Amino acid sequence: MSPDSAEESGLRTPPALPARWVDARPLVGIGTLAWFLAFCGLLIAHLGFGTAPTEWIWTCLAGWLLGFVAFGVIHWQRSAARRGARGAQQIDF
């Protein structure tokens, strides 16, 4: 349905969300920082006291590294939207 036909049929288009609600960078940054802090804490506990399970350490390391992958995907998506790629999400910042 095109935007013109939506107006003709009486349907309204929802207003755009505020930019701060659409931007995923702060959330990804907080999550990446949380995984890094958990990794550091568990690594210190494991090396100093031998109490932290190694599976948890590796899980936190993987979460921290995946946060950097998420930043790469966000950058890739934003650059695609800036250059006008067809499949890119169109977000106005």
Side-chain angles (χ1 to χ4, degrees):
M1 183 182 301
S2 70
D4 293 332
S5 63
E7 290 176 6
E8 291 170 4
S9 66
L11 296 176
R12 295 185 311 151
T13 57
L17 291 172
R20 63 185 174 97
W21 288 6
V22 178
D23 192 9
R25 291 176 297 176
L27 182 64
V28 172
I30 290 169
T32 303
L33 180 64
W35 280 114
F36 176 71
L37 293 176
F39 170 73
C40 290
L42 287 171
L43 190 62
I44 290 169
H46 182 71
L47 294 177
F49 307 108
T51 58
T54 48
E55 294 86 10
W56 291 8
I57 296 171
W58 286 109
T59 301
C60 290
L61 180 63
W64 179 45
L65 294 177
L66 283 173
F68 287 110
V69 171
F71 274 121
V73 170
I74 290 170
H75 175 71
W76 181 30
Q77 183 65 37
R78 289 173 62 95
S79 64
R82 264 188 241 111
R83 72 173 177 269
R86 275 185 26 188
Q89 297 175 2
Q90 300 301 320
I91 300 173
D92 299 324
F93 287 104

